Amino acid sequence: MTNTASVSGSLEPDVTARPARSEPRKRRYRRGQLFGLAMLAPTLIFVSVFFFAPIILTAVTAFTNMTSATGITGGAYLITPTVVRELQQQGFAPALVQALEQQVIHVDDATLAAAREAGVAENFLADIAANLSGRQFASERDFERELKQFQSRPRRIRDLKLAIEPFTESILNQRFGNRADATAAVYSVAPDVTPAELDTVLKNSYTGWVWTTENFAKLSADKESLRVFLNTVFYVSTTLAFNVLVALFMALALFYLPPTTGSVFSALWLLPRITPVVLYAVMWKWFTWDNGFIANLAGYLGLPSFNYMKGSVPTAWTIVILVNGFVGASLGMILFSGALRAIPRQQLWASEVDGASRLQQVRCIILPQLRWPIMFVTCYQALSLVGSYEQIWLTTNGGPGRTTTVWSLEAFRTALLNYSGNLQYGMGAAMALVLVAGGLVVSIFFLRLFRFNDLVEKPRIEL
Amino acid sequence: MAILHKPVVAFGAVLLGAAAVNAMAEDYTITVWAGGTNQTSHYRVDAIVMAAELLEREASVLGEDLNITVESQVWSGWDDFKQAVTLAAESDTLPNIIVSGHEDIGPWSQAGAIRPIEDYVDFDAWPLNQLYDNLIDVASYNGQIWGIPQDAESRVFFFSKPKLKAIGYSDAQINNLSERVRSGDYDLYDMLDDVKKMQDEGVVEAGMGFAPRPTNGPDYWQFYQSFGGEMVDADSGKLVFDEQAMTDMYQFFVDAVDMGVVPRTYLGLEWDDWHRNVAAGNYGAWHGGTWHYSQWTASFGLTDFFDNVSYSLIPAGNKAGHANAITHPLVYLLSSSGSDDDAAIAAELIAIASEPRINSLHAVESGHLAIGADQVTVPLYANDYWTSEATEKLLPYANAIPNNADFGIYWDAMFQGLEAAWTGASSVEQAVSAARNEVTSALGSGVIVR
Amino acid sequence: MTANFSKLPVLIILTLISLPLGVMYLSLVVDSFTNTPPDSLVPNEFTLEHWRYLIDPTLVGNIWVATVYTLIYAVSMAAIVIGLSATGGYALSRLQLPFRRFFLAGILVMHGFPAVTLIIGVFLVLKFIGLYDTLAGIVLVRAALTLPLGIWVMKGFYDAVPWELEMAGLQDGAGRFTVWWRIIVPQIQPGLMALGALAFIDAWGEFVIPRVLAPTTDFQVLSVFLNSISVPDSVEYNFNIYKAVGLFYTLPVLVLFIVFQNRLMAIFSGGTKG
């Protein structure tokens, strides 16, 4: 609080300005604007960094094939035996293939000098020069075994390995951070590689991500994504119906019941909204599990007793809808209660004098007046249900099978959480982008519907 | 002329090495992260702590002052652990040592998240020279050794002895069962018939006859192998998608569902429920891992395991396949974060942690198998009936899932298809073709479809 | 109200649909103080043993450390939300800014849209600014999620302050900042406090963000702590201890909620009033 205030204060240095009246109007206007921007600046920065930047990054990532294997910050050039084998299968000349994969260890004046420069101890180098000069080895392991016989060898094995490196000539399994280094390396072992061949070698050995639109092609072609999409539609519409209907019933009931009874129920229904989600989810597990409350109760009553959360598709869906429905119902309940209190009592009394029953009262007087809150709750909840996956993740986890998997959960799992550890950032981002696009469409519709201009009438203070 | 080595690093390291001789105090903090770790497998981290103490003592004998602080974090699951490691790799906050499944070597080495451990340790010296060669192969990728096996196991098929007896098996027949499985005489469909019989005769509750692993795991590749599938082509090193084997494997689980021996909504069952049912003897046949033995006996109150449970390889599915087991060793990996010296110390700790006596603590407590030949001479390990049984009877037939940067994509597709077929969301043919399309569109020429 | 209405059927329906919640919350409290024999629904003995974790960190880990981190997390997040909503809401309520309508529409959309879908993008941002796996990072991200609601609500509160107050201050020669700080802020203080309470409650229960964006135990918050002891594969999986920890975890927000109940009700409905 003080922090923000002082920031704003420093941007508004002259807090005891001359009387506003005597200031020229234009200058006052500019000062007002500046002050406004200063007040808004921290928010703007926050919103750009944590809303707009993620949206843009999601959109960018959606057009790549980024995975945990390619990394995010760009790749390296790495000529591995696998790459070489692929080149061979593509019909590369055997001489070139051999040049790429060969590994030779020379002991000669040049490599000894290189080793000296790299800091290998002199007495060790002297032993190497005396015993192994002019020799060649086909593998580091053989050379290493020779070196281990010298008394002067470094005691730490890592130092020995580092001493071997200057003698080794190979580009196999070396990481090159950029294209220029990789090109130079390929030329150093295969001077007469053609530009086309070089290009293929570099392309095959690149470990990073590339731009692609395949994510979207795959999403539209994949039957599974259609299923997940339909799941999402089902989930959002049923939960929404539950939310709105229960909230409406609750609000009406609380309106007519004595305040003390009403407050007990309204407090109970607000609990899911403030209960930490981890605890809330496990309470449902306790309620529905194999030896949980419902299973035990069903056992007493002679009904089928099983894991209601994961044991069958209809019960799993019921639980998912209830878990999310109970959290969302309180919002509608509060809003509707507020709107009900705003209805002039005289109207209700008058209708009673006319002999209207409660149901008639609700249908003819109350419901028409609740039209806007109902639409608001519907739109708002639809938007938040489309993107929420926490509760499903922590309860059914999309199961049994993948029957209760919704789009946002699938996006999260694809990008960030799956058993094999194969995190497909690109694909997950593409799925999230679809949600963002859908959310924007709903939001625009939402703003139109609620006559946004009325909500944001001009500020009342003069500038 | 040598190309691309790192003279600066080398120089620095040698200097530091020289400094060590001058008895200067060296302080290192080595961080270890391990996934899939529960109360019986704490030696994954504790072995590194013990190794640090040994290394400090060795240094002190040589007149050096070496201080190593080991910090650790363990995850009980795999998905959140792999997420943490992958995101840490992106933001340069990796620990020095990662304990994970060997299949991660493919993607993580491509992404540059790990260093080849062969650059830091001596495979000619004890204890690394006594490690089983096939496990070293499992820890290798692209011609380099990236990790050191931390444990080995075998994935096993279990039968309930009392239930088999109840449907007319004699003791001799039960004892002979694992041999019949091995020879291919008793296949998966024979198993289905037996557990169906158990259910029909009321010795096993409906839907409890057959209880495979409730979640995704390497185990499901064993069933693919049971129907003749191969995961990788030996000649080209490419992944293999065997349509026939995949179809037969999916069909097997659909048949099991149709026979009513396993529920249509079985996948995703909580492990806790599964363990409890196993320990209570509620299932007719099930499959799990050698390490589950220690969980059942230590935590879930299964006291007389050997009187109640018979075990074997996973039976063949048909004539095309064969009885098999998969070992899925965890490996100690050396991350690319930290200085070269940190990595060198971390690698030495890993090597020491692989000593037979230290590794046996983990193997026996957690029901895992030996990583090296010398371990069978360690009394603790040799006298443990279960581990030596499993080492003898199951491990020799075990292979491993391939190390391949793209295997995760194939794996996800295989399991998604299995889920779709199992739950009846799509037919077996549709599920297989969806999985095939997924794999071929993602991997192109990197996969061979048979 | 009047008599042409029988309360009983309504009460019965109300009780029936509230039953799952009632049973769950009642058992949360009861089970944490009692033991229940297996396969029964009724507890048979009173005990405090499930609360021993408060003094014995060997049971489930040290809950006080997690509590302190959660407090730091929730308080700093609430402070940011209050500060930014107070300034941003004022600017949008009172001042003729370019793109004002656009801002308001944007804020409203962000308020409705569950930004947790963008978690991949948020991770990338944190990675680039170097705040991945830090307490500061998750505080900022969580604050950003609550900010649109906060601004919208505070704009509503500012709109309700008569502008004559402000004009009087300006005409007396005070600067805009002084007027805002001395005259306007005291008027909306109840709103700020309620918003702070709401932000605190939101942060207190947050799970996905700390779990994904700050996974190491250096500063484990209670939600992650609670989740880690609910792993069903683990040996010491004790549901009653879990419930006791859960109750402990919920108590602070419950108290806060009761204290601020009426104000919070108004804020939960934040989006409707201009």
Side-chain angles (χ1 to χ4, degrees), chain A residues 413-453:
Chain A
R413 302 190 70 86
T414 306
L416 287 173
L417 195 83
N418 60 59
Y419 179 82
S420 70
N422 166 40
L423 307 187
Q424 298 171 274
Y425 308 120
M427 189 65 182
M431 299 188 76
L433 196 62
V434 171
L435 275 189
V436 172
L440 276 182
V441 172
V442 176
S443 305
I444 290 167
F445 168 73
F446 178 23
L447 291 177
R448 287 271 146 117
L449 191 65
F450 288 96
R451 289 171 299 187
F452 181 66
N453 288 339

Side-chain angles (χ1 to χ4, degrees), chain A residues 285-343:
Chain A
K285 284 189 179 177
W286 167 84
F287 196 60
T288 57
W289 267 2
D290 250 359
N291 35 16
F293 183 83
I294 291 196
N296 270 328
L297 193 68
Y300 279 125
L301 300 176
L303 295 169
S305 164
F306 61 101
N307 183 337
Y308 279 74
M309 186 179 282
K310 286 185 171 177
S312 85
V313 180
T315 54
W317 268 121
T318 311
I319 306 288
V320 164
I321 291 161
L322 290 181
V323 165
N324 289 280
F326 277 82
V327 177
S330 60
L331 174 75
M333 183 181 81
I334 298 167
L335 284 180
F336 300 153
S337 297
L340 281 173
R341 277 196 298 272
I343 295 175

Side-chain angles (χ1 to χ4, degrees), chain B residues 247-269:
Chain B
T247 308
D248 291 343
M249 189 263 269
Y250 287 0
Q251 188 62 51
F252 164 72
F253 287 103
V254 172
D255 290 342
V257 169
D258 289 344
M259 287 170 76
V261 295
V262 65
R264 191 172 293 284
T265 52
Y266 178 80
L267 287 178
L269 180 81

Side-chain angles (χ1 to χ4, degrees), chain A residues 82 145 148 158 161 311 402, chain B residues 118 122 124 142 265 340:
Chain A
T82 313
R145 284 186 181 133
K148 276 182 204 154
R158 176 59 181 161
K161 304 257 182 188
R402 277 151 54 92
Chain B
E118 67 170 21
D122 190 350
D124 291 332
N142 271 330
T265 52
D340 197 65

Side-chain angles (χ1 to χ4, degrees), chain C residues 141-226:
Chain C
V141 172
R142 194 64 194 76
L145 294 193
T146 308
L147 196 55
L149 171 72
I151 292 176
W152 192 254
V153 167
M154 288 328 293
K155 177 190 171 289
F157 275 96
Y158 281 121
D159 285 347
V161 176
W163 65 274
E164 288 82 2
L165 259 181
E166 206 164 347
M167 282 314 284
L170 283 174
Q171 276 162 6
D172 285 351
R176 279 195 177 275
F177 178 76
T178 316
V179 169
W180 171 72
W181 181 240
R182 291 271 160 79
I183 300 175
I184 311 295
V185 169
Q187 296 282 325
I188 57 149
Q189 211 174 10
L192 284 177
M193 285 174 71
L195 178 65
L198 175 77
F200 184 92
I201 290 174
D202 273 359
W204 190 262
E206 178 62 43
F207 174 62
V208 175
I209 288 169
R211 159 73 180 61
V212 175
L213 299 176
T216 71
T217 44
D218 288 357
F219 37 76
Q220 200 178 41
V221 292
L222 279 169
S223 57
V224 179
F225 179 89
L226 189 66

